[in-house]
Amino acid sequence: AIYARIAKGLDSEGGIKVMRYLTAPFRHGATTYSLPFTAVNIIRDATTALWREQLIPFSKPYLQGWASAVSKNNLFDDAAEAGVLMSGIVDNMRSTKEIERATHLLGGLTIHNPKDVLLFVPRLIRDINITAEQATRLGVFAKARAEGLDALESAVAARDITINFSKMGNWMRV
């Protein structure tokens, strides 16, 4: 009863913030900083892309997606501009502050202090997970563009090959 009164007293934004804060260690531990999640995510995304968009694993567009996710080349820039990125579970859990900080790293993990040394492995796992999420989407984007679809149609196909977490709304994210 006490918790129900507290919950009723919270406005929706306040409640969301509280729930996100309380569940963050579980969400990040199960996805962002989990190396086994990477393998599961790659298999799930490749399977979904195969069935939904006929993107064959290890085909040219699939490998282009991986190369782009790693190298951040022109395909990556085009996909980012079209809105393909930030639709995965790991990327969606990042705050705006984290994203801004990551853009200044230029794709590398830097070590400036003892804290960076301690967090190097978790940051590396996080970056591997983000790259794995983006790779299949970039492959679908490359395939759709090669088939003559415009940037918007290609972006929609790329975002929808797996769960598009940016469509979920605040309560689903919690």
Side-chain angles (χ1 to χ4, degrees):
I2 293 171
Y3 295 118
R5 278 185 286 190
I6 292 171
K8 285 181 182 179
L10 293 172
D11 64 350
S12 63
E13 187 64 29
I16 290 168
K17 286 180 182 177
V18 169
M19 291 303 293
R20 288 192 100 190
Y21 179 78
L22 293 174
T23 61
F26 302 108
R27 288 182 291 117
H28 289 290
T31 56
T32 307
Y33 301 108
S34 171
L35 204 50
F37 176 74
T38 305
V40 171
N41 211 16
I42 290 169
I43 293 167
R44 185 205 62 216
D45 288 354
T47 303
T48 306
L50 174 64
W51 292 111
R52 287 191 186 172
E53 294 294 330
Q54 292 73 51
L55 179 69
I56 300 167
F58 304 107
S59 64
K60 183 180 177 184
Y62 184 84
L63 294 176
Q64 282 177 325
W66 274 95
S68 180
V70 171
S71 69
K72 311 294 189 259
N73 61 15
N74 290 336
L75 174 63
F76 185 90
D77 293 339
D78 292 345
E81 189 175 312
V84 172
L85 308 178
M86 290 299 297
S87 56
I89 187 170
V90 174
D91 256 349
N92 195 47
M93 288 193 298
R94 297 171 82 190
S95 67
T96 304
K97 182 180 174 184
E98 286 177 306
I99 294 166
E100 287 174 6
R101 188 174 55 225
T103 59
H104 297 296
L105 295 177
L106 300 175
L109 293 172
T110 58
I111 297 176
H112 298 290
N113 54 48
K115 178 183 172 189
D116 290 345
V117 172
L118 292 172
L119 296 177
F120 182 80
V121 172
R123 287 170 46 212
L124 179 64
I125 293 170
R126 179 200 62 210
D127 287 359
I128 290 168
N129 271 317
I130 290 169
T131 300
E133 283 194 337
Q134 293 173 343
T136 306
R137 285 184 168 87
L138 290 166
V140 170
F141 184 77
K143 180 180 179 289
R145 296 294 290 163
E147 292 173 350
L149 295 178
D150 67 22
L152 179 59
E153 291 172 314
S154 299
V156 169
R159 287 181 75 142
D160 287 342
I161 61 148
T162 62
I163 299 169
N164 184 349
F165 287 89
S166 63
K167 285 183 176 179
M168 297 287 178
N170 289 331
W171 282 106
M172 190 60 171
R173 287 184 192 132
V174 172

